[in-house]
Amino acid sequence: MIHGKARNVIITGTGHAVPTRVLSNFDLEKMVDTSDEWIRTRTGILRRRVADEHTATSDLAAQAGRLALKDAGVSPEELDLIIVATITPDMLFPSTSCLVQKNLEAWGAACYDLSAGCSGLIYGLDMAVHSIASGAYQRALVIGADCISKVLNFQDRSTCVLFGDGAGACLLEAADQAGVLASRLGADGRGWDKLLLRGGGSRHPASPATLAAGWHYIEMCGNDVFKFAVRIMVEASLQVLADAGLQPEDIDLFIPHQANIRIIESAAQRLNLTEDQVYVNLDEYGNTSAASIGIALDEAVRSGRIKGGDRVLLVGFGAGLTWGAMIIEWVEKA
Ligand code: UT7
């Protein structure tokens, strides 16, 4: 049971959704001055999925959410909370979670969005765990979803090769069994300008000038984020392991945010994790931002890589700067 938690919380369903359109490194070679070799060796990414002009974040989020509900055997009317973690909402307001609620017809759910970059899913899970543990809510749907391709400058090779679109969802409910063992969130707003979308908000409202400056696109200091990621992945993992009274060798599956294979390998090595303890799918999807951990978790559960009793460590980092880590003792569905 985690600190301050009155009852246990488990994930009873998972789901994910990605667009059908595949954009390979070879496709990108034709669009910008890059190469498959550079992208593969510097990031580990081979291809990513990209949403078409009719698809927005709420569409993928609702698709993933519906699958998680089905997996859990819960109907939309039984939901009392929907949290969507995203940095690419359909629009500034209303919240993307309200659009998901409408799509799912989950009329009894309170809805809010959460902006924590690629740590978003873990932030959402943490919020839902505490909301359910307190007794205030019974069933929460947490979705990490982003269409980063919509805010990428496909002439900027330093960002456009890294990201893909997708959504990952988890259904959480109260339970007697172990479930979420420990959870930690953190942030350092001093790093606000390391990864951002400058325009379109109240600081720099959208205007011909912000468009001309390209402030509707993602900007990133790649090297600074890389150094932060390598450090924080290890620190956050060690903190949450200590909270749960566990060692790295007690972890059956480590699911890190899928940003760069070099970041994942460095963290795994410093945590003394073996290759088969680490889940990697960024070769297929690239960095799907708030969706990445949810997509990986759903794939791992559905492929049998996670079984009842397994201890799973989730860890993410992202814009803000933010980070989060969570350990779950997996409970097999009855
Ligand atoms: O979810 C959180 C989001 N962000 C991240 O996780 C990003 C973390 N950072 C990274 O993953 C890495 O810093 C990058 C993959 C973004 C960059 O890798 P790097 O090894 O740090 O490369 P670099 O930025 O130091 O660039 C090395 C060279 C540069 O050329 P010069 O100046 O050495 O001649 C770049 O211009 O690679 C060049 N370069 C490219 N070349 C071909 C940068 N992007 C590309 C590209 N294709 N796409």
Side-chain angles (χ1 to χ4, degrees):
M1 200 175 276
I2 69 174
H3 180 66
K5 195 151 74 74
R7 49 182 191 165
N8 290 317
V9 181
I10 61 171
I11 294 175
T12 55
T14 58
H16 83 268
V18 288
T20 48
R21 184 179 161 217
V22 177
L23 187 69
S24 72
N25 292 349
F26 298 104
D27 296 326
L28 282 164
E29 279 183 354
K30 294 176 203 137
M31 298 162 69
V32 69
D33 180 18
T34 190
S35 66
D36 168 61
E37 205 263 334
W38 191 94
I39 304 170
R40 214 168 2 91
T41 54
R42 305 307 291 167
T43 72
I45 299 164
L46 304 183
R47 56 191 75 85
R48 70 285 293 141
R49 302 297 183 95
V50 176
D52 63 24
E53 73 262 38
H54 307 294
T55 306
T57 298
S58 71
D59 301 314
L60 296 177
Q63 218 180 315
R66 193 171 284 111
L67 290 169
L69 283 164
K70 188 166 175 231
D71 189 33
V74 168
S75 65
E77 312 85 73
E78 292 177 279
L79 280 178
D80 47 16
L81 181 62
I82 300 175
I83 303 172
V84 175
T86 186
I87 51 170
T88 49
D90 286 29
M91 47 199 98
L92 273 180
F93 68 90
S95 69
T96 300
S97 54
C98 281
L99 303 174
V100 169
Q101 187 223 39
K102 174 176 169 286
N103 193 321
L104 297 176
E105 303 186 11
W107 309 126
C111 299
Y112 67 93
D113 284 6
L114 182 161
S115 172
C118 307
S119 317
L121 186 89
I122 298 182
Y123 261 71
L125 291 176
D126 183 275
M127 292 298 114
V129 165
H130 288 287
S131 302
I132 294 171
S134 72
Y137 295 86
Q138 302 305 314
R139 287 180 196 84
L141 180 62
V142 177
I143 310 171
D146 270 311
C147 286
I148 300 286
S149 71
K150 308 273 183 176
V151 292
L152 281 177
N153 177 356
F154 278 94
Q155 290 175 345
D156 174 10
R157 68 178 185 177
S158 70
T159 53
C160 76
V161 305
L162 303 175
F163 296 93
D165 302 335
C170 295
L171 198 282
L172 291 93
E173 298 180 76
D176 300 329
Q177 306 95 319
V180 176
L181 300 182
S183 178
R184 280 265 188 160
L185 303 180
D188 183 355
R190 288 168 297 188
W192 69 274
D193 56 351
K194 301 297 179 196
L195 180 48
L196 75 164
L197 198 152
R198 210 175 284 271
S202 57
R203 178 74 59 193
H204 303 292
S207 69
T210 62
L211 269 183
W215 287 1
H216 51 299
Y217 294 131
I218 275 193
E219 296 171 47
M220 181 173 71
C221 305
N223 287 317
D224 290 342
V225 177
F226 190 98
K227 280 182 233 147
F228 159 72
V230 164
R231 175 176 62 79
I232 210 67
M233 295 264 273
V234 176
E235 280 179 20
S237 297
L238 290 175
Q239 272 181 351
V240 86
L241 280 164
D243 290 346
L246 297 173
Q247 301 297 324
E249 60 266 29
D250 300 322
I251 295 301
D252 296 286
L253 196 62
F254 175 59
I255 302 187
H257 169 47
Q258 308 283 311
N260 187 315
I261 193 67
R262 292 185 290 137
I263 296 173
I264 295 174
E265 283 174 356
S266 158
Q269 191 190 2
R270 288 162 69 185
L271 290 167
N272 281 325
L273 297 170
T274 59
E275 211 173 296
D276 58 333
Q277 279 173 290
V278 182
Y279 196 85
V280 175
N281 66 3
L282 92 163
D283 47 333
E284 280 302 314
Y285 303 119
N287 179 348
T288 56
S289 185
S292 102
I293 292 170
I295 295 174
L297 180 65
D298 183 47
E299 280 189 349
V301 172
R302 286 177 194 264
S303 65
R305 187 100 182 255
I306 296 176
K307 296 173 291 301
D310 280 357
R311 290 182 183 128
V312 183
L313 168 57
L314 313 178
V315 60
F317 60 90
L321 296 167
T322 58
W323 62 91
M326 178 173 275
I327 298 180
I328 302 167
E329 190 168 290
W330 203 257
V331 176
E332 206 85 74
K333 272 189 289 291

